Every structure is written in structure tokens, then in C-alpha cells.
Amino acid sequence: MDNWLKICIVVVFAVATTGNEEATPAKLLFSKQILNKYLVEGMDIVIKYSLFNVGGTAALDVQVADNTFGPQDFEVVGGQLKVTIDRIPPGSNATHVVVIRPSKYGYFNFTAAEVSYLPSEYAAEALVGLSSEPGQGAIVPFKEYDRKFSPHLLDWLSFAVMSMPSLVLPYALWYSSKTKYEAIMTQKKDK
Amino acid sequence: MTQKQKALSKEEEILLQDFSRNVSTKSNALFYGNAFIVSAIPIWLFWRIHFMDLLTSSPLFLIITCLSTYLVSFAYKKTKFVLKHKVAVKREDAISREISKMIAEDKKMNKKEKDERVLWKKNEVSDYEATTFSIFYNNALFLAVVIGLSFFLLKSFSPSFNYILSVGLSSGLIALLSTGTK
């Protein structure tokens, strides 16, 4: 009876541990976000790439590539558009940020970036996935942005300096004559 | 019977000048010069802040500046005429006293000559003060209305329309206000 109980316990334990060894392969969720509120010609745009491993195994040799920003339209100011992450453990995430600068204004369709990774250590082929698409965005001309947001302090100061002669000079001339004759009247009253 | 034209006395000439709306050539030049300068000043704002291109917009700038110059100088003249009489009334006593003090030692001068001199001086002072105050007042009003219109009321308009309307309406407004009798 005791031996039979021990055998049952061993069998149950073996089954339980065997179930845990068959972990699900790595599966990455990939998002691409534009962090800017305004997209302006000649000004930085921050792109954030987020990878989250929802599988049971670490994702290996994760290669992120964003080929949607052509060199004739965009300049990479910070970060890289092609990145390799060695390992993303299961249940964890990784982020990557790139700063780009558009050289032209107009409507631009922000499409998906690509990711390829090995879902497990023994996987023969890499899995390929696409990120989310931020969609179409309007890159406004710098003049429009500057016109709307720049304080133009120096320009206003110059305007004030240019306006002063037209205002101060006539006022000063009028005031000097006014005070002269009012002083005469005051003297008369005093006497 | 031939009628000889009666020569106007100096007093009558001064009175005519006093009540006339016409300005002298010197005053005209002063008014048009000031009007042109103050009409050209807003071009700086539209070039630097509204980013209007100087070269491509130069015909527009020229036309509107000329129109504004005419209207602003019109406002100067009208305002000056209204102010002149008010200033003359205010300064009459002070000028009389000033002239009396100046000619106190000159016993050859009779009362008529003294009155003529007072009248002439009163005309000169009231003309001077009315001119300077008219220029100051209209310039200040014009620039304030241009800024108010272009940066608040008309800011959503395209820069060219903004310029035409803000400068045109401002100069039109001050010209209109100057036609008031008070």
C-alpha cells in the first residue's frame, strides 16, 4: 500500500514537471509610435519602437529594421533605424527610440517597421513581423510653425525702435510747447 | 467804374489762414513724409513675423503704402484743423502775456501792431501744437489698430489678405474718425 502510494506520487510529479518543459515559443508584439505633437519640417521627430514578448520562451536575435524613412526625405539625428537585440526574455519588453528630421514638408504615411527573431533556441527559421502603423501625418512647413509659435522678441523690439521716432518726437515737441505756455499761465496766476 | 481789388490787411490774411483748411507746402511735405514713414513701418511686421516675401509682395506693399499714406495724411490735416482752434483758445492768454512781456520796452509799437503780433503768434503756436499732436495721435492710433487687426482679428487670414485689410482698414478708420467735428 505504501509502495503503491509512493509510485502514484512519483507519477503525478513527473507529469507535472513534464508539462512545464513544453513552453510556448516566443511571440513579440511590436508597436511603433510617433511621440511628437507637431511634425515640422527641419525639426526633430521622435519615434518609439516597443517590443513585448508574450510567449513563454525568450526571443533571440531580435532584429528591428525601419526602412520607411528614405534618406532623401529624412535625416537620422539620433539612434539607428536598424537595431539588433540579443534576447528578450518572456514576459518582458524592450524599447528603442530614433530621432529623425524631415527635410521636406507635406503629408507622409508612417508605415510599419519590420522585426525578425528566433522564437526559440532550436528554431530553424526566424519569424518576421510588422509593427503597428502610426498612419498619415502632416509635416508642416517651418514658416507656418514659426509664425504660430515663435515669440519673435527681437522682431518686436526692432519694431518698437522703428516706431519710436514717429511717436516720441511729435509728442515731445507738442509737450514742450504745452508746458512752456502752461508755465506762463501758472506764473501769471502766482502774481 | 473799375473796381480795385482791396489789398488784404495783414490781420485779414492771418485770419484767413487761421480759418482755412488748406495747409502750407511745408506742412504738406511734413504730413506726407510722416504718413509715408508710419505707413511703411507695418511692412517690417509682415515681413518678419508673418513671413511675407519682400520681393514677391513688393507691388502689394507699394500700392497699400501709397493708399495708406494718402489716408493718414488726410487724417493729419483734418485732425490738425479741429485741434488748432481748441489750442488757440487755450493759449490766447499765455501768448498775449508773452508778447506783452516781449514788447514792453518798445514804446513805439501801438495797440494795433501788438494785436497783430499776438494774432500772428497765436496762429503760429496753435498751428505748431495742432500739427505735432495730430501727427502723434494719428500715428499711435494707426499703429495700435494695425497690430490689433493683424495679430488678433485677422490672424487666421493669409498674410497678404491680412496686410491689405489691416493696413487699409486702419488708415481708413483714422481718416474717418478725423472727419468728426469734436
Side-chain angles (χ1 to χ4, degrees):
Chain A
M1 190 66 176
D2 288 338
N3 286 338
W4 176 243
L5 192 62
K6 282 179 193 172
I7 291 166
C8 284
I9 291 167
V10 166
V11 167
V12 166
F13 187 70
V15 167
T17 50
T18 310
N20 283 341
E21 281 171 9
E22 292 174 5
T24 55
K27 186 176 178 184
L28 293 181
L29 301 180
F30 187 20
S31 79
K32 176 178 171 181
Q33 288 172 280
I34 314 284
L35 298 184
N36 283 44
K37 193 175 174 186
Y38 293 101
L39 306 176
V40 184
E41 173 200 10
M43 290 180 68
D44 296 346
I45 295 175
V46 182
I47 317 283
K48 182 182 172 187
Y49 304 93
S50 304
L51 297 140
F52 187 75
N53 187 356
V54 295
T57 320
L60 303 170
D61 192 28
V62 180
Q63 295 182 9
V64 175
D66 194 341
N67 301 313
T68 61
F69 300 114
Q72 66 275 12
D73 295 327
F74 293 92
E75 179 196 348
V76 178
V77 177
Q80 293 175 36
L81 291 172
K82 290 183 181 175
V83 165
T84 303
I85 303 169
D86 291 333
R87 189 172 182 273
I88 300 178
S92 64
N93 58 5
T95 55
H96 175 62
V97 171
V98 176
V99 180
I100 57 171
R101 195 174 286 164
S103 51
K104 296 174 189 171
Y105 62 88
Y107 287 99
F108 185 79
N109 199 13
F110 292 89
T111 51
E114 292 171 7
V115 65
S116 73
Y117 62 97
L118 294 170
S120 67
E121 200 177 328
Y122 304 107
E125 278 183 20
L127 286 179
V128 175
L130 296 173
S131 71
S132 57
E133 293 184 12
Q136 194 181 61
I139 301 173
V140 299
F142 180 74
K143 275 187 184 179
E144 286 295 318
Y145 176 81
D146 200 31
R147 189 177 159 223
K148 205 172 171 185
F149 293 104
S150 174
H152 293 280
L153 287 174
L154 205 61
D155 297 326
W156 279 108
L157 197 65
S158 309
F159 171 75
V161 167
M162 282 191 293
S163 308
M164 280 305 112
S166 301
L167 297 172
V168 170
L169 209 61
Y171 181 79
L173 292 172
W174 169 77
Y175 190 74
S176 69
S177 175
K178 174 184 176 267
T179 47
K180 176 187 166 188
Y181 288 101
E182 282 182 350
I184 293 172
M185 289 304 292
T186 314
Q187 283 171 11
K188 184 185 176 183
K189 281 178 187 172
D190 289 344
K191 286 186 180 177
Chain B
M1 191 163 63
T2 56
Q3 282 185 339
K4 286 183 184 174
Q5 210 170 8
K6 195 179 171 185
L8 294 169
S9 70
K10 200 175 171 187
E11 193 178 302
E12 283 165 336
E13 268 182 31
I14 293 169
L15 277 170
L16 260 175
Q17 198 184 9
D18 195 29
F19 287 101
S20 169
R21 287 178 183 268
N22 295 331
V23 292
S24 64
T25 312
K26 188 182 161 191
S27 279
N28 240 348
L30 187 70
F31 282 158
Y32 277 104
N34 271 282
F36 179 76
I37 290 168
V38 86
S39 299
I41 288 171
I43 293 175
W44 169 264
L45 286 179
F46 282 88
W47 172 43
R48 298 291 297 180
I49 298 175
H50 290 289
F51 288 105
M52 278 181 80
D53 187 49
L54 259 184
L55 276 173
T56 51
S57 306
S58 54
L60 181 68
F61 285 148
L62 198 66
I63 293 167
I64 299 298
T65 303
C66 289
L67 174 72
S68 176
T69 301
Y70 172 75
L71 290 171
V72 171
S73 62
F74 175 88
Y76 286 157
K77 289 173 196 171
K78 296 297 172 194
T79 311
K80 177 203 163 178
F81 180 77
V82 171
L83 280 174
K84 193 171 173 179
H85 296 284
K86 292 182 185 176
V87 171
V89 168
K90 274 188 185 176
R91 301 283 177 250
E92 192 161 11
D93 288 346
I95 292 167
S96 294
R97 184 164 171 75
E98 187 190 25
I99 299 294
S100 301
K101 205 173 172 181
M102 274 169 61
I103 61 168
E105 294 170 8
D106 188 359
K107 300 199 189 292
K108 290 180 189 174
M109 197 175 286
N110 58 23
K111 191 180 181 301
K112 189 186 172 191
E113 281 175 0
K114 185 200 162 192
D115 288 343
E116 264 180 23
R117 196 171 276 200
V118 167
L119 195 63
W120 170 81
K121 185 69 178 174
K122 191 175 77 172
N123 184 57
E124 194 188 64
V125 169
S126 57
D127 195 82
Y128 178 81
E129 283 196 23
T131 300
T132 49
F133 192 80
S134 168
I135 291 173
F136 162 72
Y137 173 77
N138 283 296
N139 284 356
L141 194 60
F142 173 76
L143 290 174
V145 176
V146 164
I147 290 169
L149 284 177
S150 69
F151 290 95
F152 294 98
L153 251 70
L154 305 173
K155 67 176 179 181
S156 57
F157 282 53
S158 73
S160 300
F161 269 117
N162 193 335
Y163 175 72
I164 293 168
L165 289 176
S166 55
V167 176
L169 287 176
S170 305
S171 52
L173 182 69
I174 63 165
L176 182 68
L177 289 174
S178 70
T179 56
T181 51
K182 288 187 182 178

Coordinates of all heavy atoms in Angstrom, one line a residue, chain B residues 13-57:
Chain B
E13 N -5.3 138.5 -43.5 CA -4.6 137.4 -44.1 C -4.4 136.3 -43.0 O -4.5 135.1 -43.3 CB -3.2 137.9 -44.6 CG -3.2 138.3 -46.0 CD -1.8 138.7 -46.5 OE1 -0.8 138.1 -46.0 OE2 -1.8 139.5 -47.4
I14 N -4.0 136.8 -41.8 CA -3.8 135.8 -40.7 C -5.1 135.1 -40.4 O -5.1 133.9 -40.2 CB -3.2 136.5 -39.5 CG1 -1.8 137.0 -39.8 CG2 -3.2 135.6 -38.3 CD1 -1.2 137.9 -38.7
L15 N -6.2 135.9 -40.4 CA -7.5 135.3 -40.1 C -7.9 134.3 -41.1 O -8.4 133.2 -40.8 CB -8.6 136.4 -40.0 CG -8.6 137.2 -38.7 CD1 -9.5 138.4 -38.8 CD2 -9.2 136.3 -37.6
L16 N -7.7 134.6 -42.4 CA -8.0 133.7 -43.5 C -7.2 132.4 -43.3 O -7.7 131.3 -43.5 CB -7.6 134.3 -44.8 CG -8.8 134.9 -45.6 CD1 -8.3 135.6 -46.8 CD2 -9.8 133.9 -46.0
Q17 N -5.9 132.6 -43.0 CA -5.0 131.4 -42.9 C -5.5 130.6 -41.7 O -5.5 129.4 -41.7 CB -3.6 131.9 -42.6 CG -2.6 130.9 -42.8 CD -1.2 131.4 -42.5 OE1 -1.0 132.5 -41.9 NE2 -0.2 130.6 -42.8
D18 N -6.0 131.3 -40.6 CA -6.4 130.6 -39.4 C -7.6 129.7 -39.7 O -7.7 128.6 -39.2 CB -6.7 131.7 -38.4 CG -6.8 131.1 -37.0 OD1 -6.2 130.1 -36.7 OD2 -7.6 131.7 -36.2
F19 N -8.5 130.3 -40.4 CA -9.8 129.5 -40.6 C -9.7 128.6 -41.9 O -10.7 127.9 -42.1 CB -11.0 130.5 -40.7 CG -11.3 131.1 -39.4 CD1 -10.9 132.4 -39.1 CD2 -12.1 130.4 -38.5 CE1 -11.2 133.0 -37.9 CE2 -12.4 130.9 -37.3 CZ -12.0 132.2 -36.9
S20 N -8.7 128.7 -42.6 CA -8.6 127.9 -43.8 C -8.2 126.5 -43.5 O -7.5 126.2 -42.6 CB -7.5 128.5 -44.7 OG -7.3 127.6 -45.8
R21 N -8.7 125.5 -44.3 CA -8.4 124.1 -44.1 C -7.1 123.8 -44.9 O -6.6 122.7 -44.8 CB -9.5 123.2 -44.6 CG -10.7 123.2 -43.7 CD -11.8 122.4 -44.3 NE -13.0 122.4 -43.4 CZ -13.3 121.6 -42.4 NH1 -12.4 120.6 -42.2 NH2 -14.3 121.7 -41.6
N22 N -6.7 124.8 -45.7 CA -5.5 124.5 -46.5 C -4.3 124.5 -45.7 O -4.2 125.3 -44.8 CB -5.4 125.5 -47.7 CG -6.5 125.4 -48.6 OD1 -7.1 124.3 -48.8 ND2 -6.9 126.5 -49.3
V23 N -3.3 123.6 -46.0 CA -2.1 123.7 -45.3 C -1.0 124.2 -46.2 O -1.1 124.1 -47.4 CB -1.7 122.3 -44.8 CG1 -2.7 121.8 -43.7 CG2 -1.7 121.2 -45.9
S24 N 0.1 124.7 -45.6 CA 1.2 125.3 -46.4 C 1.9 124.1 -47.0 O 1.8 123.0 -46.7 CB 2.1 126.1 -45.5 OG 2.6 125.2 -44.5
T25 N 2.8 124.5 -48.0 CA 3.6 123.5 -48.7 C 4.5 122.7 -47.7 O 4.7 121.5 -47.7 CB 4.5 124.1 -49.7 OG1 3.6 125.0 -50.5 CG2 5.1 123.1 -50.6
K26 N 5.0 123.5 -46.7 CA 5.9 122.9 -45.7 C 5.2 121.9 -44.9 O 5.6 120.8 -44.6 CB 6.5 124.0 -44.8 CG 7.6 123.6 -43.9 CD 8.0 124.7 -43.0 CE 8.7 124.2 -41.8 NZ 8.9 125.3 -40.8
S27 N 4.0 122.3 -44.4 CA 3.1 121.4 -43.7 C 2.8 120.1 -44.5 O 2.8 119.0 -43.9 CB 1.8 122.1 -43.2 OG 2.1 122.8 -42.1
N28 N 2.4 120.3 -45.7 CA 2.1 119.2 -46.6 C 3.2 118.2 -46.7 O 3.0 117.0 -46.6 CB 1.8 119.8 -48.0 CG 0.4 119.4 -48.5 OD1 -0.3 118.6 -47.9 ND2 0.0 120.1 -49.5
A29 N 4.4 118.8 -46.9 CA 5.6 117.9 -47.0 C 5.8 117.1 -45.7 O 6.1 115.9 -45.7 CB 6.8 118.7 -47.3
L30 N 5.6 117.8 -44.6 CA 5.8 117.2 -43.3 C 4.7 116.1 -43.1 O 5.1 115.0 -42.6 CB 5.6 118.3 -42.2 CG 5.8 117.8 -40.7 CD1 7.3 117.6 -40.5 CD2 5.3 118.9 -39.8
F31 N 3.5 116.4 -43.5 CA 2.4 115.4 -43.3 C 2.7 114.2 -44.2 O 2.5 113.0 -43.7 CB 1.1 116.0 -43.6 CG 0.5 116.9 -42.6 CD1 -0.4 117.9 -42.8 CD2 0.9 116.8 -41.2 CE1 -1.0 118.7 -41.8 CE2 0.4 117.6 -40.2 CZ -0.6 118.5 -40.5
Y32 N 3.0 114.4 -45.4 CA 3.1 113.3 -46.4 C 4.4 112.4 -46.0 O 4.4 111.2 -46.1 CB 3.2 113.7 -47.8 CG 1.8 113.9 -48.4 CD1 1.3 115.2 -48.6 CD2 1.1 112.8 -48.8 CE1 0.1 115.3 -49.2 CE2 -0.2 113.0 -49.4 CZ -0.7 114.2 -49.5 OH -2.0 114.4 -50.1
G33 N 5.4 113.1 -45.5 CA 6.6 112.4 -45.1 C 6.4 111.5 -43.9 O 6.7 110.3 -43.9
N34 N 5.7 112.1 -42.9 CA 5.4 111.3 -41.7 C 4.4 110.2 -42.0 O 4.6 109.0 -41.5 CB 4.7 112.2 -40.6 CG 5.8 112.8 -39.7 OD1 6.3 112.2 -38.8 ND2 6.1 114.1 -40.0
A35 N 3.4 110.5 -42.9 CA 2.4 109.5 -43.2 C 3.1 108.3 -44.0 O 2.8 107.1 -43.7 CB 1.3 110.1 -44.1
F36 N 4.0 108.6 -44.9 CA 4.7 107.6 -45.6 C 5.5 106.7 -44.6 O 5.5 105.4 -44.7 CB 5.6 108.2 -46.7 CG 6.4 107.1 -47.4 CD1 5.8 106.4 -48.4 CD2 7.7 106.9 -47.2 CE1 6.4 105.4 -49.1 CE2 8.4 105.9 -47.9 CZ 7.8 105.1 -48.9
I37 N 6.2 107.3 -43.7 CA 7.1 106.5 -42.8 C 6.2 105.6 -41.9 O 6.5 104.4 -41.8 CB 7.9 107.5 -41.9 CG1 9.0 108.2 -42.7 CG2 8.5 106.7 -40.7 CD1 9.7 109.3 -42.0
V38 N 5.1 106.2 -41.4 CA 4.3 105.4 -40.5 C 3.5 104.3 -41.3 O 3.2 103.2 -40.7 CB 3.4 106.3 -39.6 CG1 2.1 106.6 -40.4 CG2 3.0 105.6 -38.3
S39 N 3.2 104.5 -42.5 CA 2.6 103.5 -43.3 C 3.5 102.4 -43.7 O 3.1 101.3 -44.0 CB 2.0 104.2 -44.6 OG 1.1 105.1 -44.3
A40 N 4.8 102.7 -43.8 CA 5.8 101.7 -44.2 C 6.2 100.8 -43.0 O 6.7 99.7 -43.2 CB 7.0 102.4 -44.8
I41 N 6.1 101.3 -41.8 CA 6.5 100.6 -40.6 C 5.9 99.2 -40.5 O 6.6 98.2 -40.3 CB 6.3 101.4 -39.3 CG1 7.3 102.5 -39.3 CG2 6.4 100.5 -38.1 CD1 7.1 103.5 -38.1
P42 N 4.6 99.0 -40.8 CA 4.0 97.7 -40.7 C 4.6 96.6 -41.6 O 4.4 95.4 -41.4 CB 2.5 97.9 -41.0 CG 2.3 99.3 -40.6 CD 3.5 100.0 -41.0
I43 N 5.2 97.1 -42.7 CA 5.8 96.1 -43.6 C 6.9 95.2 -42.9 O 7.0 94.0 -43.2 CB 6.5 96.9 -44.8 CG1 5.5 97.6 -45.7 CG2 7.3 95.9 -45.7 CD1 6.0 98.4 -46.8
W44 N 7.6 95.8 -41.9 CA 8.5 95.1 -41.2 C 7.8 93.9 -40.4 O 8.3 92.8 -40.4 CB 9.2 96.0 -40.1 CG 10.0 95.3 -39.1 CD1 9.6 94.9 -37.9 CD2 11.4 94.8 -39.3 NE1 10.7 94.3 -37.2 CE2 11.7 94.2 -38.0 CE3 12.3 94.9 -40.3 CZ2 13.0 93.6 -37.8 CZ3 13.5 94.3 -40.1 CH2 13.9 93.7 -38.9
L45 N 6.7 94.2 -39.8 CA 6.0 93.2 -39.1 C 5.6 92.0 -40.0 O 5.7 90.9 -39.7 CB 4.8 93.8 -38.4 CG 5.0 94.6 -37.2 CD1 3.6 95.1 -36.7 CD2 5.7 93.9 -36.1
F46 N 5.0 92.4 -41.2 CA 4.5 91.4 -42.1 C 5.7 90.6 -42.7 O 5.5 89.4 -43.1 CB 3.6 92.0 -43.2 CG 2.3 92.3 -42.6 CD1 2.0 93.5 -42.0 CD2 1.3 91.4 -42.7 CE1 0.8 93.8 -41.5 CE2 0.0 91.7 -42.1 CZ -0.2 92.9 -41.5
W47 N 6.8 91.2 -42.9 CA 7.9 90.5 -43.5 C 8.6 89.5 -42.4 O 8.8 88.4 -42.7 CB 9.0 91.5 -43.9 CG 10.3 91.0 -44.4 CD1 10.5 89.9 -45.2 CD2 11.6 91.5 -44.1 NE1 11.8 89.6 -45.4 CE2 12.5 90.6 -44.7 CE3 12.1 92.6 -43.4 CZ2 13.9 90.8 -44.7 CZ3 13.4 92.8 -43.3 CH2 14.3 91.9 -43.9
R48 N 8.8 90.0 -41.2 CA 9.5 89.2 -40.2 C 8.6 88.2 -39.5 O 9.1 87.2 -39.1 CB 10.2 90.2 -39.2 CG 11.2 91.1 -39.8 CD 12.4 90.4 -40.3 NE 13.1 89.7 -39.2 CZ 14.2 89.0 -39.4 NH1 14.7 88.8 -40.5 NH2 14.8 88.5 -38.3
I49 N 7.4 88.6 -39.2 CA 6.6 87.8 -38.3 C 5.5 87.0 -39.1 O 5.3 85.8 -38.9 CB 5.9 88.6 -37.2 CG1 6.9 89.3 -36.4 CG2 4.9 87.8 -36.4 CD1 6.4 90.2 -35.3
H50 N 4.9 87.6 -40.1 CA 4.0 86.8 -41.0 C 4.7 86.2 -42.2 O 4.1 85.5 -42.9 CB 2.9 87.8 -41.5 CG 2.0 88.2 -40.4 ND1 1.0 87.4 -39.9 CD2 1.8 89.4 -39.8 CE1 0.3 88.0 -39.0 NE2 0.8 89.3 -38.9
F51 N 6.0 86.4 -42.3 CA 6.8 85.7 -43.3 C 6.3 86.0 -44.7 O 6.3 85.1 -45.6 CB 6.9 84.2 -43.1 CG 7.8 83.9 -41.9 CD1 7.2 83.4 -40.7 CD2 9.2 84.0 -42.0 CE1 8.0 83.1 -39.6 CE2 10.0 83.6 -40.9 CZ 9.4 83.2 -39.7
M52 N 6.0 87.2 -45.0 CA 5.7 87.6 -46.4 C 7.0 87.9 -47.1 O 7.9 88.6 -46.5 CB 4.8 88.9 -46.4 CG 3.3 88.7 -46.2 SD 2.4 90.2 -46.2 CE 2.2 90.4 -48.0
D53 N 7.1 87.4 -48.3 CA 8.3 87.6 -49.1 C 8.4 89.0 -49.6 O 7.5 89.5 -50.2 CB 8.4 86.6 -50.2 CG 9.7 86.7 -50.9 OD1 10.8 86.6 -50.2 OD2 9.7 86.8 -52.2
L54 N 9.5 89.7 -49.3 CA 9.7 91.1 -49.7 C 9.6 91.3 -51.2 O 8.8 92.2 -51.7 CB 11.0 91.6 -49.2 CG 11.0 92.5 -47.9 CD1 12.4 93.0 -47.6 CD2 10.0 93.6 -48.0
L55 N 10.3 90.5 -51.9 CA 10.4 90.7 -53.4 C 9.1 90.5 -54.1 O 8.6 91.3 -54.8 CB 11.5 89.8 -54.0 CG 12.9 90.4 -53.9 CD1 13.9 89.4 -54.3 CD2 13.0 91.7 -54.7
T56 N 8.5 89.3 -53.8 CA 7.2 88.9 -54.5 C 6.1 89.8 -54.0 O 5.1 90.0 -54.8 CB 6.9 87.5 -54.3 OG1 6.9 87.2 -52.9 CG2 7.9 86.5 -55.0
S57 N 6.1 90.3 -52.8 CA 5.0 91.1 -52.3 C 5.2 92.6 -52.5 O 4.4 93.4 -52.0 CB 4.7 90.8 -50.8 OG 4.6 89.5 -50.6

